[in-house]
Amino acid sequence: MTDTPPDRPFALRPATADDAAALARVDTATSMKPWSEAAFLVEIARGDRSYLVACSDHATARDGEVVGYAGMAMMDGDARVMGLAVSPSAQGRGCGRLLLDAVIAEAARRGAPVTLEVRPSNDVARHLYRSSGFSDAGRRPGYYTDGEDALILWRDADRSAATTRSAATTTNGG
């Protein structure tokens, strides 16, 4: 996952261990159960994960304030969105869309369908995902620590590839 075009108010770059504290701050400002700096350090170090940070100033992507992040894990050939959060100060300005588009592009580059879980109560995130071609595929009861279910979403453009691969795996004894 790579940098953004210069016409955007935010810059994207791969997350590094130096970003873990900033990612934890964004998560604390946006999540009912935020990840710690240590959890982000583990995630960033994993080889099957890709994390991006969104910085507030395209001209100074390396020095700009981290205002958002997105994480993706490759699991059984699928690209699973591990998290996507934008600081309240940057919300409503296209940062979340930019991060999601980058995840979708990276998944496409890898030939992987995209899936994620989202709280049914998170209307803003659900709107973003639906406007990017995601739709409901199921529900995970009690998924979140507060007992709320999670909606399982797949990107419609990717769903047929996932279904075909799953059928082939089942047919081949996988």
Side-chain angles (χ1 to χ4, degrees):
M1 297 190 283
T2 58
D3 287 347
T4 61
D7 62 335
R8 296 288 189 135
F10 302 102
L12 300 184
R13 62 173 172 75
T16 68
D18 292 339
D19 296 314
L23 299 184
R25 280 192 299 275
V26 170
D27 220 37
T28 297
T30 60
S31 176
M32 290 192 279
K33 185 74 172 164
W35 287 7
S36 66
E37 180 178 346
F40 278 108
L41 282 169
V42 169
E43 284 289 300
I44 291 167
R46 289 185 58 157
D48 63 342
R49 310 288 162 103
S50 298
Y51 277 80
L52 285 177
V53 295
C55 297
S56 59
D57 181 3
H58 192 284
T60 59
R62 298 212 189 295
D63 301 322
E65 175 190 6
V66 173
V67 296
Y69 75 88
M72 181 186 82
M74 292 304 298
M75 296 180 170
D76 297 324
D78 299 329
R80 182 172 176 191
V81 178
M82 298 301 294
L84 191 153
V86 176
S87 293
S89 64
Q91 290 177 2
R93 301 187 319 175
C95 186
R97 165 102 34 221
L98 185 65
L99 285 162
L100 183 58
D101 287 350
V103 169
I104 291 168
E106 177 64 14
R109 187 184 72 72
R110 294 178 185 214
V114 184
T115 187
L116 56 88
E117 288 93 8
V118 64
R119 289 177 178 270
S121 64
N122 191 340
D123 292 333
V124 172
R126 287 176 52 216
H127 175 74
L128 172 65
Y129 299 140
R130 287 196 181 12
S131 69
S132 294
F134 287 83
S135 62
D136 293 2
R139 185 177 282 264
R140 295 190 198 283
Y143 180 79
Y144 294 100
T145 57
D146 62 0
E148 185 173 4
D149 293 352
L151 297 176
I152 302 166
L153 305 182
W154 282 89
R155 194 158 171 271
D156 292 337
D158 303 329
R159 186 179 281 182
S160 63
T163 302
T164 301
R165 188 177 63 256
S166 177
T169 301
T170 303
T171 302
N172 294 327

